[in-house]
Amino acid sequence: AQAIFSFSCPIPVTSDLCAMATRGAARTLAATAGRAGRFLHTSRLLADQAKVRSRVAEALKVTQSAAHQFPADYPHHADADLKMLHELGINTQWVQHNARPGTLYDEALRYEKGSAILSTGALAAFSGAKTGRSPLDKRVVEEPSTKDDIWWGAVNIPLSEKTFKINRERAIDYLNTRERLYVFDGFAGWDTEHRYKIRIITSRAYHALFMHNMLIRPSAEELANFGEPDYTIYNAGAFPANRATEGMTSGTSVSLNFRSKEVVILGTQYAGEMKKGVFTIMNYLLPRDGILSMHASANEGKDGDVTIFFGLSGTGKTTLSADEHRKLIGDDEHAWTDNGIYNIEGGCYAKAIGLTREKEPEIWDAIRFGALLENVVFDQRTGTVDYDDCSITENTRVSYPLEYIPNAKIPAVGGHPENIIMLTCDAFGVLPPVSKLTSEQAMYHFISGYTAKVAGTEEGVSEPTATFSACFGAPFMVWHPAKYAELLADKMAKHNVHAWLINTGWTGGAYGSGHRMSLADTRAIIDAIHSGELAKAEYVNFPRFNLQVPKTCPNVDSNILMPSQTWADQFAFEAAAEKLSKLFKDNFKKFEEDAPQRSELLALTESAAVCHGRQQHVER
C-alpha cells in the first residue's frame, strides 16, 4: 500500500503522512476486495442456481435420449410404449408401466400425501374425501347395442354418449396435466378361455399398486404380447366432474360405456371404484355367454369339494371363506361355467376394521410388503396400525395378492360347487343361524339379497334398517336379477348343489338388546356343512319364513338354532318376525313388476320361500 501511495503521490511524503496514507489505502483496498468477493460469490451462486434449475428441468423433461437418467429400478417394458397413450390423446412422458411394488412404494412415498410404510411392511394410503363407493353417481351409457339388455333404474342410471365424451375428455385433459402417470395391464378371470384384458390409466401410484394386487398379474411373456385391452379404465379421480354437465348430480362420476369399452372415473380417489368397475363389466359380458357371475367368495376342501359364499359387505363373506383347513379360491368375485368355477380377481380386498390375528389369522398375516392398507389410522413413529380406530372411516380396507394367503389355490379355479351358502347379517334377530333351502328358496333369497344396516353405520340410521341388494350385489348387476337367478337355478339343478341360509347377525333380540352370533358357532355350522353332518340332521319348520332348521348341529348349542327360543319376550319376537316378513314380500313385488315375462318363475320362488300368515310355534 505504501509503495502504491508513494508512486502515485506528486508531493514529498513524510513518514507520518505515509503511514496515514498507507492505513487509508489498506482500508480502501480491503473494502474493494470485499465488494469484489461478494460479487464473485453472488455470481457463482446465480450460476449454481441456474445449473440446479437446468438439471431439475432436464430431470422433469423425460425424453428417449434422457432415459438413462431414470432410477435403476424404473421399469420401461418398451417404455410403457408411449404410443399406446398418445393414440388416446394422453401425452404425458413420464409413465410407469406395470411397475413392481417397490417402485410404486417409492413413488407413493415421494408424491402422495398420507402414504407411509407401516410396521408390517405394508403401504398405507389415503383416498381423500371419498372413503367408500359412490353408487348414486354410477352411470351406464345408453346406446343401441346394449340398450335392451340393461336393467335400467336406480342401479343402472342411463347416460348419454355426449355426456360420456365430455367426461372422458375431462379425464384425459386432467391426466395430461400430470407429470407422471401409471399404467397397469392385467387380466380379469383365471379361466384363460373366459378372461378379459383390462388396462388401468391413473395418476396415483396407490391406484396402480391396488390394481396390481386385484387384477391377475401377467407374466413377462403375457405382458409383451398383451396387445390392445378389451376395456380401459381412465382414473382421473382427483379431478371432479362438472356438475353443470347434463346427467351429473355431483362432482363424482363413474361412467361405463359398453360400446367404446371404457370406464371414466372423476371426483373420487377411492380405489374400490376400479375393482367394482371391472366386476360390473364382467356382470354384463359373462351372463351374455351363459356364464353366471357371482358376488361371492369360494374355497375348496381336501377332496376337491367347492363351497360358494354369497353375501353383502359385513356378512362375513371374506372372513368365513378364509379357512385354514380349506384352499381359498377367492374372496369376492367368481364365475360359474360349464367346467366349474373360477376367481375373477388376482387378489383380496378385506375389511380391516376391528381386525385381530385371533379372529382372522390368514388375513392378518397377509398384511406385509406389497399389501395396501387404505384409510387406516397408525402411529406415525412406530407405524403400528390401530385397527379399532374408525376416525377416518369404518370402511378401512386391506388389499393383497391372492398368493399371500398360505393355502390359496393357484390357479384360482375349481370344480362345480357342492354347497352354496347365502350369508345375511340380520339385525332384527329373527332369522335362524342356519337353514336348509330348496332350489326355489335359494332363488328367492338370491334375488332378495337381504341383510340389515344397524344404527351408527350411516348418518340418520337410528334403528335396524333392512337392505335388499339383488343377487347379493345389486350395485354391480347389469341384467335384470331374474337372469342371474335363472342361471343359478339351472346350474344348481344340473349339479345337485345343496343351498343354505346362514345368519351372522343378531340372536336373542334385535340389535341393541340381543347379541351378535358367535364367529365360533358360525364356523362350527359351516364345518358341519362341509363334513356332511348337517345334511343328515333332523329338521323342523321355522314359522312364517317356511325355513327348515336343524334340531342339532355338532359343537353348537341347540338352544340357539330356533330364534324364538332365544328371545325372552315372545310378543316382541312375533312383531319383529312379522315386520321382517312384510319387508321381504314388499321388496319382491318390484321384481314381479319389472319382469312380467318371468312372473311364473318369480311367483314359484316366492310361494316356496315365504309362508303367508302367522304359523304355530315349534314346540320347545
Side-chain angles (χ1 to χ4, degrees), residues 243-318:
R243 294 170 182 263
T245 305
E246 182 183 0
M248 297 294 98
T249 54
S250 75
T252 299
S253 173
V254 180
S255 50
L256 166 60
N257 189 333
F258 284 112
R259 187 187 65 79
S260 67
K261 301 181 178 181
E262 295 173 311
V263 177
V264 173
I265 299 174
L266 294 167
T268 173
Q269 298 180 69
Y270 179 64
E273 294 288 8
M274 294 181 290
K275 165 188 162 66
K276 292 307 184 186
V278 173
F279 188 43
T280 302
I281 292 168
M282 299 297 275
N283 275 322
Y284 176 72
L285 299 177
L286 297 180
R288 184 189 63 183
D289 298 333
I291 299 170
L292 175 62
S293 52
M294 304 176 289
H295 187 215
S297 60
N299 62 25
E300 182 182 85
K302 294 178 181 178
D303 297 327
D305 56 299
V306 171
T307 295
I308 292 174
F309 298 82
F310 285 104
L312 296 169
S313 179
T315 59
K317 183 169 78 273
T318 297

Side-chain angles (χ1 to χ4, degrees), residues 1-29:
Q2 182 178 358
I4 293 171
F5 186 79
S6 299
F7 176 76
S8 61
C9 184
I11 60 174
V13 180
T14 64
S15 60
D16 290 342
L17 182 59
C18 185
M20 292 173 59
T22 300
R23 289 193 294 272
R27 287 194 295 270
T28 300
L29 186 61

Side-chain angles (χ1 to χ4, degrees), residues 62 82-83 85-95 172 175-179 181:
V62 180
L82 297 181
K83 182 181 177 182
L85 297 184
H86 292 167
E87 292 175 349
L88 299 173
I90 299 173
N91 299 305
T92 302
Q93 296 296 306
W94 189 299
V95 180
I172 287 177
L175 294 173
N176 272 322
T177 68
R178 302 299 88 194
E179 292 180 350
L181 293 178

Side-chain angles (χ1 to χ4, degrees), residues 23 51 54 72 119 206 256-257 277 294 313 396 414 440 444 475 480 489 500 514 620:
R23 289 193 294 272
K51 288 180 181 179
S54 176
S119 59
Y206 144 50
L256 166 60
N257 189 333
M294 304 176 289
S313 179
T396 55
E440 292 81 11
Y444 178 85
H480 188 280
W500 310 84
R620 290 175 181 251

Side-chain angles (χ1 to χ4, degrees), residues 36-185:
R38 286 193 296 274
F39 176 77
L40 179 61
H41 174 74
T42 302
S43 298
R44 287 176 176 171
L45 180 61
L46 290 173
D48 288 344
Q49 289 176 341
K51 288 180 181 179
V52 169
R53 287 196 296 271
S54 176
R55 289 177 181 177
V56 169
E58 290 175 1
L60 293 177
K61 183 180 179 182
V62 180
T63 63
Q64 292 293 334
S65 61
H68 66 277
Q69 297 178 4
F70 291 130
D73 65 350
Y74 188 92
H76 289 278
H77 296 303
D79 191 36
D81 188 7
L82 297 181
K83 182 181 177 182
M84 69 182 179
L85 297 184
H86 292 167
E87 292 175 349
L88 299 173
I90 299 173
N91 299 305
T92 302
Q93 296 296 306
W94 189 299
V95 180
Q96 301 264 21
H97 186 203
N98 281 53
R100 63 184 178 86
T103 299
L104 296 174
Y105 266 54
D106 183 57
E107 295 278 302
L109 294 170
R110 287 174 184 270
Y111 306 114
E112 298 180 11
K113 181 182 178 181
S115 299
I117 299 177
L118 302 171
S119 59
T120 60
L123 180 71
F126 179 55
S127 69
K130 297 280 187 176
T131 57
R133 289 183 300 101
S134 301
L136 298 179
D137 297 306
K138 171 193 166 186
R139 301 289 186 273
V140 179
V141 173
E142 185 176 4
E143 49 83 25
S145 67
T146 58
K147 179 180 178 181
D148 295 335
D149 297 335
I150 295 173
W151 182 37
W152 300 108
V155 172
N156 298 296
I157 303 172
L159 184 73
S160 70
E161 290 195 85
K162 179 181 177 181
T163 298
F164 180 83
K165 289 178 181 177
I166 293 172
N167 284 352
R168 182 184 184 277
E169 190 71 16
R170 192 171 178 86
I172 287 177
D173 286 346
Y174 171 76
L175 294 173
N176 272 322
T177 68
R178 302 299 88 194
E179 292 180 350
R180 52 186 50 80
L181 293 178
Y182 308 89
V183 175
F184 184 79
D185 290 339

